[in-house]
Amino acid sequence: MSQPPADNVRAMRLLCKDIEGAIARGELPRSVVADLKGAIDDTRMRVWASMEAAKSGDPSWVQEFWLHRAAEVCLSMVKRLEEGELDSRSPRATALRAAAGRLAASLGSGGPE
Protein backbone atom coordinates (compact mmCIF):
# COMPACT_ATOMS: atom_id res chain seq x y z
CA MET A 1 0.00 0.00 0.00
CA SER A 2 1.29 3.42 -0.81
CA GLN A 3 -0.66 5.16 1.98
CA PRO A 4 -0.85 4.26 5.65
CA PRO A 5 -3.75 1.82 6.27
CA ALA A 6 -5.79 4.45 8.19
CA ASP A 7 -5.60 6.80 5.18
CA ASN A 8 -6.80 4.01 2.90
CA VAL A 9 -9.76 3.34 5.17
CA ARG A 10 -10.73 7.02 5.16
CA ALA A 11 -10.37 7.15 1.38
CA MET A 12 -12.51 4.02 1.02
CA ARG A 13 -15.25 5.48 3.23
CA LEU A 14 -15.30 8.69 1.16
CA LEU A 15 -15.43 6.69 -2.06
CA CYS A 16 -18.33 4.62 -0.72
CA LYS A 17 -20.24 7.80 0.17
CA ASP A 18 -19.63 9.17 -3.33
CA ILE A 19 -20.83 5.93 -4.89
CA GLU A 20 -23.88 5.84 -2.60
CA GLY A 21 -24.79 9.34 -3.76
CA ALA A 22 -24.35 8.42 -7.42
CA ILE A 23 -26.61 5.39 -6.95
CA ALA A 24 -29.23 7.48 -5.13
CA ARG A 25 -29.18 10.04 -7.96
CA GLY A 26 -29.59 7.28 -10.55
CA GLU A 27 -26.24 8.09 -12.17
CA LEU A 28 -25.06 4.48 -12.30
CA PRO A 29 -26.71 1.86 -14.53
CA ARG A 30 -27.81 -1.37 -12.84
CA SER A 31 -25.08 -3.31 -14.62
CA VAL A 32 -22.42 -1.03 -13.13
CA VAL A 33 -23.99 -1.30 -9.67
CA ALA A 34 -23.98 -5.11 -10.02
CA ASP A 35 -20.29 -5.07 -11.01
CA LEU A 36 -19.55 -2.72 -8.13
CA LYS A 37 -21.35 -5.02 -5.69
CA GLY A 38 -19.25 -7.94 -6.94
CA ALA A 39 -16.04 -5.97 -6.47
CA ILE A 40 -17.06 -4.94 -2.95
CA ASP A 41 -18.03 -8.52 -2.07
CA ASP A 42 -14.64 -9.73 -3.34
CA THR A 43 -12.86 -7.06 -1.30
CA ARG A 44 -14.88 -7.95 1.79
CA MET A 45 -13.99 -11.62 1.42
CA ARG A 46 -10.28 -10.80 0.98
CA VAL A 47 -10.29 -8.60 4.09
CA TRP A 48 -12.18 -11.28 6.02
CA ALA A 49 -9.66 -13.94 4.97
CA SER A 50 -6.79 -11.66 5.99
CA MET A 51 -8.38 -11.04 9.39
CA GLU A 52 -8.93 -14.75 9.94
CA ALA A 53 -5.34 -15.52 9.00
CA ALA A 54 -4.02 -12.80 11.31
CA LYS A 55 -6.09 -14.04 14.25
CA SER A 56 -5.95 -17.77 13.51
CA GLY A 57 -4.67 -18.41 17.02
CA ASP A 58 -7.82 -16.87 18.55
CA PRO A 59 -11.00 -18.44 17.12
CA SER A 60 -13.21 -16.52 19.55
CA TRP A 61 -12.07 -13.25 17.96
CA VAL A 62 -13.46 -14.30 14.59
CA GLN A 63 -16.72 -15.43 16.20
CA GLU A 64 -17.16 -12.18 18.10
CA PHE A 65 -16.39 -10.14 14.98
CA TRP A 66 -18.97 -12.12 12.99
CA LEU A 67 -21.65 -11.74 15.69
CA HIS A 68 -20.91 -8.01 16.04
CA ARG A 69 -21.21 -7.49 12.27
CA ALA A 70 -24.44 -9.48 12.10
CA ALA A 71 -25.94 -7.34 14.89
CA GLU A 72 -24.92 -4.17 13.01
CA VAL A 73 -26.65 -5.40 9.85
CA CYS A 74 -29.80 -6.31 11.79
CA LEU A 75 -29.95 -2.91 13.51
CA SER A 76 -29.45 -1.17 10.17
CA MET A 77 -32.37 -3.15 8.73
CA VAL A 78 -34.58 -2.21 11.70
CA LYS A 79 -33.76 1.46 11.23
CA ARG A 80 -34.50 1.36 7.50
CA LEU A 81 -37.77 -0.49 8.07
CA GLU A 82 -38.85 1.95 10.81
CA GLU A 83 -37.99 4.93 8.62
CA GLY A 84 -39.93 3.49 5.68
CA GLU A 85 -36.89 3.06 3.44
CA LEU A 86 -37.70 -0.64 3.09
CA ASP A 87 -41.08 -2.27 2.46
CA SER A 88 -41.82 -5.00 5.01
CA ARG A 89 -44.36 -6.53 2.57
CA SER A 90 -41.78 -7.24 -0.12
CA PRO A 91 -41.37 -10.91 -1.10
CA ARG A 92 -37.71 -10.65 -0.04
CA ALA A 93 -38.85 -9.27 3.32
CA THR A 94 -40.94 -12.40 3.75
CA ALA A 95 -37.83 -14.54 3.25
CA LEU A 96 -35.91 -12.31 5.67
CA ARG A 97 -38.69 -12.65 8.26
CA ALA A 98 -38.42 -16.44 8.05
CA ALA A 99 -34.62 -16.35 8.33
CA ALA A 100 -34.81 -13.90 11.26
CA GLY A 101 -37.27 -16.19 13.03
CA ARG A 102 -34.92 -19.15 12.63
CA LEU A 103 -32.00 -17.01 13.82
CA ALA A 104 -33.94 -15.80 16.88
CA ALA A 105 -34.94 -19.37 17.71
CA SER A 106 -31.34 -20.58 17.40
CA LEU A 107 -30.03 -17.75 19.56
CA GLY A 108 -32.79 -18.23 22.12
CA SER A 109 -32.09 -21.92 22.53
CA GLY A 110 -28.34 -21.50 22.71
CA GLY A 111 -27.80 -22.77 19.16
CA PRO A 112 -28.55 -25.87 17.12
CA GLU A 113 -28.56 -29.23 18.86
Side-chain angles (χ1 to χ4, degrees):
M1 292 183 165
S2 59
Q3 299 176 331
D7 290 345
N8 287 323
V9 171
R10 280 190 288 278
M12 185 180 297
R13 287 183 190 276
L14 289 172
L15 178 60
C16 286
K17 286 184 180 186
D18 288 347
I19 291 169
E20 184 180 22
I23 291 170
R25 293 186 299 274
E27 296 173 355
L28 295 175
R30 285 184 180 217
S31 61
V32 172
V33 174
D35 286 343
L36 175 64
K37 182 190 176 303
I40 290 171
D41 286 345
D42 181 57
T43 301
R44 182 184 58 79
M45 293 302 291
R46 288 172 184 257
V47 169
W48 181 255
S50 297
M51 289 178 357
E52 284 188 281
K55 295 292 184 177
S56 61
D58 184 6
S60 67
W61 181 88
V62 174
Q63 172 185 298
E64 293 307 311
F65 181 86
W66 177 246
L67 291 170
H68 175 76
R69 182 65 184 123
E72 284 181 337
V73 169
C74 290
L75 291 172
S76 177
M77 293 290 296
V78 167
K79 181 180 180 220
R80 290 170 187 251
L81 285 162
E82 288 174 346
E83 292 176 354
E85 291 179 43
L86 298 174
D87 181 1
S88 63
R89 297 169 305 215
S90 160
R92 297 226 186 242
T94 301
L96 176 60
R97 188 176 300 107
R102 288 184 62 194
L103 175 61
S106 292
L107 289 170
S109 68
E113 300 290 313

